[in-house]
């Protein structure tokens, strides 16, 4: 896998004078930066929908040229382009516009690190769901339905969600493989709730003797076969459709992945699931949990990220971010020993919790 150096795009960055002004004003005007950021998000979403960035993939164009390419009004296009240039998504030289390096890397269809699907998921799925149910989730402690149940009612939603999840997996993949070494004698891996299957693919590529089963709901596996074929992992990575609360997981696994699962459920349910996973594993097997842990965040960005996900999990699933101590306690009660933590640096807020099956 390529090495991904994650640069978080923050187009609206005050200069030193503006920062001093915000500080002097007790950061009150900082509220406007949040509003401007929301406007920037909408501008990028519309630009993607219109094909602005793709129209520039062949080289710089004038506003009139772009308007012709996307079949839009020239004045409206120019106003959009000016906004995108100020937000950092375009560059302007003379009367011609071109994609910025940020856009080339993260928003073009030809890029292996294309994250454009995140914009679609954010606007048409997560933010829409949050607008409908965040207030009710706060009042009741849970939404009237989970976002997964909502996906079942919206054709194509599961695929978009898995495209987003796969993009995130590619972002964290290099650091994950660097920081986590699967035991060389491991032969069988289960990826619980593994969806797109990219994590299983990564570990199988790193460990030639390893095979993996991706266990998830059938609707969450809609694109997994495609990825397995593209990555030439047929025969090494297989699908196991099912509901992990009801169906058998299999047995004799040396490694179990539980990535972004535990935030969705209560402590009691998480212990129940972890015990089920433990029963499917061989003695001294390794379990690996990935979550956005709410404690001991290493930076302000990590803190913002985990708190953001805390609200998102509440609105989407009635869940919340958890702490290392909470997850460690659940693991110890479920037949595992020696919980330990690994923090990510390139994607702040993400952490791994590892433990070993006790017997």
């Amino acid at each position: 896998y390529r090495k991904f150096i994650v640069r978080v795009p923050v187009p609206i960055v005050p200069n030193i004078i503006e920062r001093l002004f915000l500080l002097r004003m007790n950061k009150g005007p900082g509220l406007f930066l949040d509003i401007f950021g929301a406007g920037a998000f909408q501008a990028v979403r519309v630009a993607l929908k219109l094909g602005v960035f793709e129209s520039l993939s062949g080289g710089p164009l004038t506003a009139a040229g772009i308007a012709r390419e996307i079949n839009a009004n020239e004045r409206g296009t120019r106003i959009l382009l000016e906004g995108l240039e100020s937000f950092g998504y375009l560059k302007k030289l003379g009367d011609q516009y071109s994609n910025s390096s940020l856009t080339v890397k993260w928003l073009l269809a030809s890029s292996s690190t294309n994250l454009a699907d995140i914009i679609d998921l954010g606007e048409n799925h997560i933010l829409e769901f949050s607008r409908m149910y965040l207030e009710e989730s706060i009042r009741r402690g849970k939404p009237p339905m989970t976002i997964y149940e909502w996906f079942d009612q919206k054709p194509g939603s599961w695929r978009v969600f898995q495209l987003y999840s796969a993009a995130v997996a590619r972002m964290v993949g290099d650091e994950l493989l660097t920081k986590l070494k699967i035991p060389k004698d491991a032969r069988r891996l289960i990826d619980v709730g593994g969806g797109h299957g990219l994590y299983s693919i990564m570990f199988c590529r790193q460990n030639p003797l390893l095979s993996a089963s991706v266990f998830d709901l059938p609707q969450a596996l809609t694109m997994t076969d495609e990825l397995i074929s593209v990555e030439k992992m047929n025969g090494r990575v297989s699908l196991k459709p099912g509901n992990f609360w009801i169906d058998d997981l299999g047995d004799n696994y040396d490694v179990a992945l539980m990535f972004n699962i535990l935030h969705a459920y209560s402590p009691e349910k998480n212990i129940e699931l972890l015990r089920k996973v433990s029963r499917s594993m061989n003695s001294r097997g390794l379990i690996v949990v990935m979550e956005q842990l709410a404690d001991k965040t290493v930076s302000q960005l990590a803190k913002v990220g985990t708190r953001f996900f805390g609200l998102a999990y509440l609105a989407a699933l009635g869940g919340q971010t958890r702490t290392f101590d909470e997850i460690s306690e659940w693991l110890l009660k479920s037949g595992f020993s020696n919980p330990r933590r690994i923090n990510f640096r390139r994607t702040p807020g993400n952490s791994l919790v590892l433990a070993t099956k006790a017997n």
Side-chain angles (χ1 to χ4, degrees):
Y1 275 77
R2 295 176 176 85
K3 292 187 176 181
F4 299 108
I5 301 174
V6 179
R7 294 181 176 87
V8 178
V10 184
I12 304 170
V13 181
N15 63 33
I16 185 67
I17 301 300
E18 291 165 333
R19 290 177 189 175
L20 289 172
F21 174 75
L22 291 175
L23 183 64
R24 187 171 182 179
M25 295 295 292
N26 198 28
K27 299 184 180 180
L31 171 64
F32 290 103
L33 295 184
D34 294 334
I35 297 172
F36 295 160
F41 177 86
Q42 292 295 338
V44 173
R45 181 185 67 83
V46 169
L48 285 167
K49 187 174 182 180
L50 290 172
V52 170
F53 303 132
E54 294 297 333
S55 75
L56 292 169
S57 59
L61 291 171
T62 64
I66 296 170
R68 286 193 297 271
E69 287 288 324
I70 66 174
N71 192 29
N73 175 266
E74 182 178 340
R75 185 176 72 90
T77 299
R78 180 176 288 105
I79 293 172
L80 173 62
L81 297 175
E82 290 172 353
L84 293 169
E85 189 269 336
S86 69
F87 300 145
Y89 292 94
L90 296 179
K91 296 185 297 183
K92 187 179 182 182
L93 183 62
D95 65 348
Q96 293 194 317
Y97 295 87
S98 61
N99 288 323
S100 69
S101 58
L102 180 153
T103 296
V104 169
K105 183 168 185 176
W106 299 112
L107 295 177
L108 291 188
S110 59
S111 172
S112 62
T113 52
N114 177 25
L115 297 183
D117 292 311
I118 291 180
I119 306 296
D120 183 27
L121 179 77
E123 173 64 19
N124 296 317
H125 299 79
I126 294 175
L127 291 182
E128 182 182 347
F129 191 86
S130 180
R131 280 193 292 269
M132 291 190 298
Y133 298 128
L134 178 58
E135 180 181 349
E136 186 173 354
S137 298
I138 293 169
R139 292 183 184 279
R140 298 176 53 204
K142 62 179 182 180
M145 70 173 77
T146 70
I147 198 168
Y148 299 142
E149 292 168 330
W150 191 62
F151 284 168
D152 288 336
Q153 302 174 12
K154 290 173 66 73
S157 295
W158 276 103
R159 183 177 178 84
V160 172
F161 177 67
Q162 291 304 331
L163 285 169
Y164 155 75
S165 299
V168 172
R170 290 190 178 97
M171 286 174 61
V172 304
D174 183 64
E175 187 170 13
L176 173 66
L177 294 178
T178 299
K179 295 199 169 188
L180 175 62
K181 300 300 182 183
I182 297 296
K184 291 183 179 180
D185 60 351
R187 296 294 179 268
R188 300 190 69 224
L189 177 150
I190 182 169
D191 193 350
V192 181
H196 50 75
L198 271 177
Y199 293 117
S200 291
I201 291 169
M202 292 176 188
F203 286 118
C204 284
R205 178 165 287 123
Q206 186 187 61
N207 299 264
L209 299 179
L210 188 68
S211 64
S213 295
V214 182
F215 190 106
D216 212 331
L217 297 169
Q219 58 267 41
L221 299 172
T222 52
M223 59 172 283
T224 316
D225 271 334
E226 297 175 38
L227 285 172
I228 291 172
S229 295
V230 167
E231 299 292 338
K232 296 179 171 57
M233 279 289 163
N234 301 88
R236 298 276 309 282
V237 179
S238 59
L239 306 187
K240 198 172 177 63
N243 183 325
F244 52 58
W245 295 112
I246 300 170
D247 299 312
D248 181 55
L249 299 178
D251 54 21
N252 294 321
Y253 297 112
D254 302 303
V255 181
L257 306 182
M258 295 190 67
F259 286 6
N260 296 304
I261 302 294
L262 300 183
H263 60 248
Y265 305 107
S266 68
E268 295 75 21
K269 295 297 289 183
N270 282 330
I271 292 171
E272 177 187 340
L273 180 56
L274 288 167
R275 284 175 176 168
K276 185 173 184 177
V277 172
S278 177
R279 290 192 297 270
S280 76
M281 298 179 68
N282 292 323
S283 178
R284 309 304 300 167
L286 175 70
I287 187 170
V288 186
V289 173
M290 183 191 291
E291 289 287 347
Q292 297 78 40
L293 298 184
D295 59 325
K296 298 181 181 178
T297 49
V298 296
S299 67
Q300 181 62 24
L301 178 59
K303 181 178 179 180
V304 169
T306 54
R307 301 294 168 81
F308 168 83
F309 279 111
L311 278 172
Y313 293 151
L314 173 64
L317 301 162
Q320 65 184 87
T321 50
R322 298 294 185 174
T323 67
F324 171 72
D325 287 343
E326 286 178 302
I327 295 175
S328 295
E329 181 183 354
W330 303 337
L331 288 165
L332 292 172
K333 289 181 176 179
S334 304
F336 296 97
S337 64
N338 189 28
R340 57 263 192 207
R341 175 178 184 167
I342 300 175
N343 290 326
F344 283 58
R345 299 296 178 184
R346 296 180 189 172
T347 51
N350 282 316
S351 297
L352 301 176
V353 181
L354 283 61
T356 306
K357 185 172 178 180
N359 50 54

